[in-house]
Amino acid sequence: MTRKIQIFDTTLRDGEQSPGASMNSQEKAIVARQLIRLGVDVIEAGFPASSHGEFRAVEEIGSIAGDACVVCAFARASEQDIDRAAEALKSARHPRINTGLGVSPTHLEHKLGITQEECIERVAHIVGYAKRLVDDVEFFAEDAGRADQDFLVRVLQTAVDAGATVINVADTCGYSLPEEWGARIADVAHRVVGIENVTLAVHTHNDLGMATALALAGVRNGASQVECAVNGLGERAGNAALEEIAMAIRLHGEELGVHTDIRTTELSRASRLVSRVTGMSVQANKAVVGANAFAHSSGMHQDAVLKAPKVYQIMDPAEVGAVGSEIILSSRSGQAALRHRLVELGYTFADEEFDDVYQRFQEIAEQKKEVYDEDLESMVQERSRDVAAVYTLNALQIQCGDPLVPTAVATITDEEGNTRVVSATGTGPVDAAYKAIDRVLTVHGDLEEYAVKAITRGIDAIGEVVVRVKSADGKVYTGRGSDTDVIVSSAKAYVNAINRMITTQRSHEGY
Ligand code: MN
């Protein structure tokens, strides 16, 4: 039997720290359910001390996960943070606190303003403190990729002696090269006394495009937990991509002597879900989950692949779930058929909620003849985005064309139930719609990015619009809207971004 590598997923914590990728607690719950279906060993659910919303999300994921996996909460090295993390984890069957400190000279001097000795003292104190609240304590050594190796070993030894169950060596800035990183991990595995009783983890970043290579170098040299995120989401250039790690280990498990428990057929859906929820699109040539990952366009390649796929394919698209579903629903599909398909996709609804979902499904099915899984996912996820709607777009009427002046009339209801009809002209239909909507808003947002794409094939496909809107304090909020009419999608996406801006700002009040 090969050695099991634990997959620690940080899509909901490090991943969510990507600009504009923030998720509300309902969305985090949807992603968490998919992570459980994927079979991850640990879900890092969030950073409870950062906001009320985060606190609630960690709480909720704790109760969703049950025995399926460990639920981890992030905390800075402070007693208050650790208290909040422990509190948020009360609902979790298998709770873990992840706390740590910078260990490189740069972090010690410029971020923390402490000496090496003070760092050691703090590590002992903070791990001991967390250990009194939960059994399972992970200690991360931040920026270990640029740390003095002897000092790193001392820090990790201190954490192990203070009761850490997991020690996580983090190349926070994605600085290392795979071979020297592997040597660091081997040295830690060799020198830290008692390492055999704890889990050795690696947390790697993609600043030089080597996050996956670094994670695997860690695995080769003794790490048994890999920290990663779906689509490689994360700070800056991102974390190691879960799908890359899972497939690399699947293909090379024998020579590495390791395996994971990831159900790889769920990878494509996880990728789509995370992309849709965060508004971070996946580049077409992304390994494993990109739109072109299994596309062959040159005639020579196509010819060869038709004869034998393995000529140019190291993995079967079906293995990562990249094969489109055969099941197509239509307006003739009954409630039972819809409910059945949604359950298979992982969505369950209470009866009164389901009526609403079915009605929306019928609307979509009337507009387009064939309703694919991707359409259903988009429909269900749009519902979860608008749970805390401050503004609701009830109706939108557009007049445009050449030589008309593009004009929009929008009907919008606010959370107090006041409905207003507003109109505006613009340079085009989307501009007119946004200017009309702006008339009722109490906040201001600058449109930074606008993108539209078809969810499925065909001229009647649902058009999904993703916008990124910047608030006055410089934060970016992602909005998404879908409809068979792209102008309506555009207006929904804008209202959605504004709603998220307002609810996020409210959830941070008091912190
Ligand atoms: Mn990180």
Side-chain angles (χ1 to χ4, degrees), residues 230-275:
V230 175
N231 295 340
L233 216 59
E235 295 264 20
R236 306 178 314 280
N239 285 93
L242 185 151
E243 60 276 9
E244 294 172 13
I245 307 272
M247 289 314 292
I249 289 181
R250 191 177 161 101
L251 265 62
H252 294 280
E254 220 159 295
E255 59 188 281
L256 293 168
V258 299
H259 70 278
T260 74
D261 286 345
I262 294 296
R263 282 182 282 278
T264 58
T265 49
E266 291 288 334
L267 287 171
S268 289
R269 208 152 81 77
S271 167
R272 268 200 319 266
L273 173 65
V274 168
S275 166

Side-chain angles (χ1 to χ4, degrees), residues 10 13-15 17 44 74 140 142 168 170-173 203-205 227 233-236 238-239:
T10 187
R13 199 278 300 169
D14 207 322
Q17 284 169 223
E44 188 167 37
F74 181 86
F140 65 84
E142 195 179 2
N168 169 20
D171 189 20
T172 308
C173 301
H203 177 109
T204 56
H205 274 270
E227 307 204 352
L233 216 59
E235 295 264 20
R236 306 178 314 280
N239 285 93

Side-chain angles (χ1 to χ4, degrees), residues 121-404:
E121 262 170 51
R122 258 202 225 182
V123 170
H125 173 73
I126 217 67
V127 172
Y129 186 82
K131 191 70 184 174
R132 285 197 288 276
L133 302 174
V134 297
D135 260 353
D136 190 3
V137 175
E138 172 164 340
F139 171 79
F140 65 84
E142 195 179 2
D143 201 21
R146 293 188 293 176
D148 171 76
Q149 181 67 11
D150 290 336
F151 179 64
L152 173 64
V153 169
R154 265 185 77 203
V155 168
L156 296 175
Q157 185 67 61
T158 305
V160 170
D161 293 345
T165 42
V166 182
I167 54 172
N168 169 20
V169 191
D171 189 20
T172 308
C173 301
Y175 173 73
S176 301
L177 295 173
E179 274 169 23
E180 60 163 25
W181 178 249
R184 261 190 201 278
I185 303 303
D187 182 61
V188 166
H190 181 67
R191 282 163 70 193
V192 173
V193 179
I195 192 91
E196 62 282 6
N197 305 317
V198 305
T199 300
L200 177 55
V202 283
H203 177 109
T204 56
H205 274 270
N206 210 32
D207 297 69
L208 292 173
M210 280 188 271
T212 298
L214 293 171
L216 293 173
V219 165
R220 262 189 202 278
N221 289 283
S224 54
Q225 175 180 293
V226 167
E227 307 204 352
C228 50
V230 175
N231 295 340
L233 216 59
E235 295 264 20
R236 306 178 314 280
N239 285 93
L242 185 151
E243 60 276 9
E244 294 172 13
I245 307 272
M247 289 314 292
I249 289 181
R250 191 177 161 101
L251 265 62
H252 294 280
E254 220 159 295
E255 59 188 281
L256 293 168
V258 299
H259 70 278
T260 74
D261 286 345
I262 294 296
R263 282 182 282 278
T264 58
T265 49
E266 291 288 334
L267 287 171
S268 289
R269 208 152 81 77
S271 167
R272 268 200 319 266
L273 173 65
V274 168
S275 166
R276 181 166 293 143
V277 164
T278 58
M280 302 278 288
S281 51
V282 175
Q283 74 195 62
N285 60 335
K286 168 78 183 63
V288 184
V289 292
N292 293 350
F294 299 98
H296 305 278
S297 70
S298 91
M300 235 164 27
H301 284 213
Q302 281 175 345
D303 187 47
V305 167
L306 286 173
K307 286 179 189 141
K310 67 181 175 194
V311 177
Y312 285 106
Q313 257 173 217
I314 57 166
M315 47 195 152
D316 180 350
E319 253 181 305
V320 302
V323 180
S325 98
E326 299 296 316
I327 299 159
I328 298 163
L329 300 180
S330 73
S331 60
R332 291 179 307 281
S333 305
Q335 297 215 9
L338 176 65
R339 195 189 276 273
H340 179 74
R341 191 64 201 140
L342 286 173
V343 169
E344 281 180 340
L345 293 173
Y347 302 107
T348 47
F349 295 96
D351 287 346
E352 62 277 15
E353 247 187 321
F354 183 75
D355 289 343
D356 217 35
V357 171
Y358 187 69
Q359 203 187 331
R360 180 72 190 124
F361 163 74
Q362 282 293 338
E363 283 167 26
I364 292 170
E366 267 162 38
Q367 285 162 346
K368 65 197 293 286
K369 289 182 208 86
E370 298 175 320
V371 181
Y372 296 89
D373 285 351
E374 289 85 348
D375 297 320
L376 295 178
E377 286 170 355
S378 159
M379 173 186 90
V380 171
Q381 286 151 23
E382 188 175 288
R383 279 174 58 82
S384 72
R385 287 187 81 79
D386 270 332
V387 183
V390 180
Y391 296 104
T392 310
L393 179 74
N394 301 317
L396 180 69
Q397 199 184 325
I398 298 284
Q399 191 182 26
C400 64
D402 192 5
L404 291 173

Side-chain angles (χ1 to χ4, degrees), residues 76-100:
R76 285 167 299 196
S78 83
E79 293 185 3
Q80 296 95 299
D81 269 34
I82 289 172
D83 287 341
R84 287 294 280 168
E87 232 175 287
L89 287 169
K90 286 227 166 85
S91 55
R93 199 83 54 84
H94 305 284
R96 176 186 296 176
I97 289 177
N98 183 18
T99 189

